[in-house]
Amino acid sequence: MAKKPLEKLMIPYQGTLELKGQRISVKDEKRFTESLDNLIREAVFGDAETQAAARWLIWDTAQALGIHPASIHDFYMARGRGEIGRPFTVPAINLRMLAYDSARAVFRAARKIDAGALIFEIARSEIGYTDQLPVEYTSAVLAAAMREGFRGPLFIQGDHFQTSAKKYAADPQAEIKAIRDLITEAVAAGFYNIDIDTSTLVDLSKPTLDEQQRINYELCDDFTRFIRSHEPSGVTISIGGEIGEVGQKNSTPEDLDAFMSGYNARRGGHAGISKISIQTGTSHGGVVLPDGTLAQVAIDFDTLRILGEKARLEYGLGGVVQHGASTLPDTAFHKFVEAGTCEVHLATAFQTLVIEHPAVPESLREEMYDWVKIYAADERKPKDTEAQFIYKTRKKAVGPFKKQFWSLPKEALEAIGRDLERNFSFLFEQLGVAETTETVKAYVRPVEIHQPLPVGGIKTGKKKSVKDLAD
């Protein structure tokens, strides 16, 4: 009789891992971690049954080693109460490409300075165009944590679980169901931090601020209740709200008051949001000039400071969140700490580093760009130059070319990893998260959660597609 996928995966780990009932115990950690490069590839590129078995094995082994997906909620609420005096800004890192190798670089940079206050995240849209379901993303981050010797609470976040204004206008219930389905899938995968973004539905044509924000705060509350009904026992998922869509008008104290007053009036006794995203002058991916370079963006740090203080002192939140920051100049990042910013989201610069890295063959880049010219042609605006069009749309080729990047020679992956590590090290120092591990542990009590061993050692049934969740 043919061996089941989990049994086959366990063969190289005889004497290294032991399966007792439905739990993994680790007999030789060093041997196991050295073989993780192969196991994560099975979790990402194996057939559906092998993927499921490998993902279960990674999750349960991480639990055995003391690496637990956790919520940052209590940490942020303590910050809102003024219990964490030292200033720092938590980096939330979107890994669109080479998730495993990139996460390894994050952990290496973090361990050098004892940084525990950091978040790994992926947005609703990114899940689609990078071809990374939540469970795959979690597997890559957990495998990287084990590979690099990280221990403790690990924050994985659903970024921009965002309502599409166009789809909501056409069929509100269908769009709400799509986000609920994504939340359910993400929580099951260990995303215990979720940013709800219904700011796309803010209607600035309405006469009062309450009317402008009403659908936003009502839906944010509805999704908060849904999340609370699906969180694991012992976990209070950290939820973020948003009052201004990135790239639109800057947020004001009055916008914050309108949202929070409406939200708090509805939410009753359940735990609410722990932070709130605002708009201060940035845009996702930066503003691309005709030659493909990025324009200098002026962030309104006064808005961050004023709204951050208001969020903490008047509403007890951890503070405000800045999106679209990775493409800012290096001289800007320490200012987030000075302005008291709670969290800053970083994405596009890491994608750019990988795609444009000298270790990546020019022929692979050209193939990506040729693909974009065909399959993303409808996104080209009449005034776009070739360079602008490619810069703005090449992210759409990340999923289709995922395997080619994961299959780069070892030397190339190591060179990319070293440069990513330097990048992360600089950002962590600028954002002040050195020596935050013990501060995090003082407030975050991760729960050991085991997932059931699928019948027969595999996950049966129809495999969900990325499109099912991200559309």
Side-chain angles (χ1 to χ4, degrees):
M1 181 181 292
K3 289 185 179 294
K4 296 169 183 175
L6 183 57
E7 293 173 341
K8 290 171 67 175
L9 285 174
M10 291 289 290
I11 290 173
Y13 301 118
Q14 293 180 7
T16 304
L17 300 178
E18 184 177 356
L19 178 61
K20 294 181 178 180
Q22 297 197 8
R23 300 286 184 272
I24 288 289
S25 61
V26 181
K27 302 300 181 183
D28 190 331
E29 181 181 335
K30 186 174 185 294
R31 279 182 59 196
F32 171 70
T33 55
E34 288 174 349
S35 66
L36 269 165
D37 296 3
N38 295 326
L39 183 58
I40 188 59
R41 286 192 66 87
E42 294 286 6
V44 174
F45 298 112
D47 60 64
E49 293 182 342
T50 301
Q51 282 182 347
R55 291 166 182 178
W56 180 89
L57 186 57
I58 289 169
W59 174 278
D60 211 70
T61 307
Q63 298 296 307
L65 291 175
I67 306 169
H68 307 295
S71 167
I72 205 168
H73 176 87
D74 289 340
F75 181 74
Y76 278 172
M77 299 310 285
R79 194 168 189 173
R81 294 190 299 269
E83 295 177 10
I84 301 173
R86 55 166 294 190
F88 58 87
T89 297
V90 176
I93 303 164
N94 300 62
L95 300 180
R96 297 174 180 170
M97 303 186 72
L98 297 175
Y100 171 64
D101 290 281
S102 298
R104 287 185 63 187
V106 172
F107 287 121
R108 289 196 299 272
R111 292 195 68 203
K112 285 179 182 176
I113 60 172
D114 193 31
L118 53 92
I119 295 171
F120 295 87
E121 66 179 4
I122 187 167
R124 182 188 184 191
S125 59
E126 291 170 330
I127 288 169
Y129 64 70
T130 69
D131 186 25
Q132 295 185 99
L133 288 170
V135 66
E136 178 185 312
Y137 191 81
T138 298
S139 297
V141 174
L142 287 176
M146 290 188 283
R147 187 74 165 86
E148 298 299 336
F150 174 87
R151 295 292 180 271
L154 184 58
F155 305 118
I156 303 176
Q157 180 161 277
D159 176 32
H160 276 305
F161 278 19
Q162 183 183 75
T163 50
S164 162
K166 182 178 179 181
K167 291 177 181 177
Y168 185 84
D171 189 341
Q173 292 309 310
E175 180 65 355
I176 289 171
K177 182 181 184 302
I179 295 176
R180 285 184 171 185
D181 288 346
L182 177 57
I183 289 168
T184 302
E185 185 82 2
V187 172
F191 284 45
Y192 300 151
N193 309 273
I194 295 177
D195 280 359
I196 295 300
D197 180 9
T198 47
S199 68
T200 51
L201 305 178
V202 171
D203 188 348
L204 298 178
S205 69
K206 298 290 186 181
T208 69
L209 289 172
D210 179 74
E211 289 174 294
Q212 291 173 14
Q213 291 284 342
R214 183 169 296 159
I215 296 179
N216 184 19
Y217 67 66
E218 288 180 348
L219 274 184
C220 187
D221 175 62
D222 289 345
F223 286 128
T224 299
R225 292 170 185 269
F226 184 81
I227 291 169
R228 295 284 172 246
S229 70
H230 285 73
E231 58 196 4
S233 177
V235 176
T236 301
I237 290 175
S238 173
I239 302 173
E242 186 154 345
I243 59 172
E245 187 177 359
V246 175
Q248 303 301 316
K249 84 172 188 72
N250 283 9
S251 302
T252 67
E254 292 77 18
D255 292 332
L256 178 59
D257 283 334
F259 177 90
M260 289 304 303
S261 295
Y263 178 82
N264 283 337
R266 284 176 55 92
R267 72 179 175 91
H270 63 256
I273 61 173
S274 60
K275 59 183 177 178
I276 192 154
S277 298
I278 64 172
Q279 168 59 8
T280 61
T282 60
S283 61
H284 285 132
V287 177
V288 190
L289 299 174
D291 64 355
T293 61
L294 296 178
Q296 290 290 321
V297 177
I299 283 189
D300 188 343
F301 285 98
D302 283 340
T303 293
L304 281 171
R305 178 180 54 79
I306 293 167
L307 269 67
E309 288 179 359
K310 189 177 187 68
R312 289 189 297 274
L313 297 177
E314 297 183 25
Y315 298 108
L317 305 182
V320 297
V321 177
Q322 171 71 57
H323 286 270
S326 70
T327 55
L328 295 174
D330 289 348
T331 54
F333 290 99
H334 73 278
K335 296 180 181 178
F336 290 115
V337 182
E338 294 171 359
T341 311
C342 175
E343 181 179 304
V344 62
H345 289 214
L346 308 161
T348 304
F350 312 134
Q351 170 192 286
T352 298
L353 186 154
V354 174
I355 291 177
E356 297 182 358
H357 199 279
V360 175
E362 185 61 33
S363 58
L364 178 54
R365 269 190 296 274
E366 290 176 355
E367 190 178 353
M368 285 183 73
Y369 297 166
D370 288 342
W371 185 95
V372 165
K373 292 173 188 176
I374 296 171
Y375 294 102
D378 59 340
E379 297 186 32
R380 187 166 192 160
K381 293 180 171 54
K383 293 184 179 180
D384 278 350
T385 65
E386 180 104 327
Q388 283 175 312
F389 166 69
I390 287 175
Y391 182 90
K392 289 189 289 186
T393 57
R394 62 186 179 182
K395 65 185 181 182
K396 298 298 179 67
V398 169
F401 287 84
K402 179 171 70 172
K403 192 166 188 177
Q404 286 95 316
F405 275 86
W406 277 64
S407 300
L408 287 170
K410 180 181 178 182
E411 296 77 13
L413 292 174
E414 288 177 346
I416 293 169
R418 286 193 297 270
D419 286 341
L420 283 169
E421 182 182 344
R422 278 192 286 270
N423 198 322
F424 294 133
S425 292
F426 171 79
L427 290 169
F428 295 167
E429 292 283 2
Q430 292 294 301
L431 296 173
V433 292
E435 299 180 357
T436 54
T437 297
E438 290 305 314
T439 308
V440 167
K441 289 180 179 178
Y443 293 98
V444 177
R445 301 287 187 269
V447 179
E448 184 170 323
I449 297 172
H450 292 275
Q451 297 176 341
L453 183 65
V455 176
I458 60 171
K459 186 172 288 185
T460 58
K462 185 178 179 231
K463 179 187 175 186
K464 289 185 178 179
S465 73
V466 170
K467 186 175 177 62
D468 291 336
L469 292 176
D471 274 0

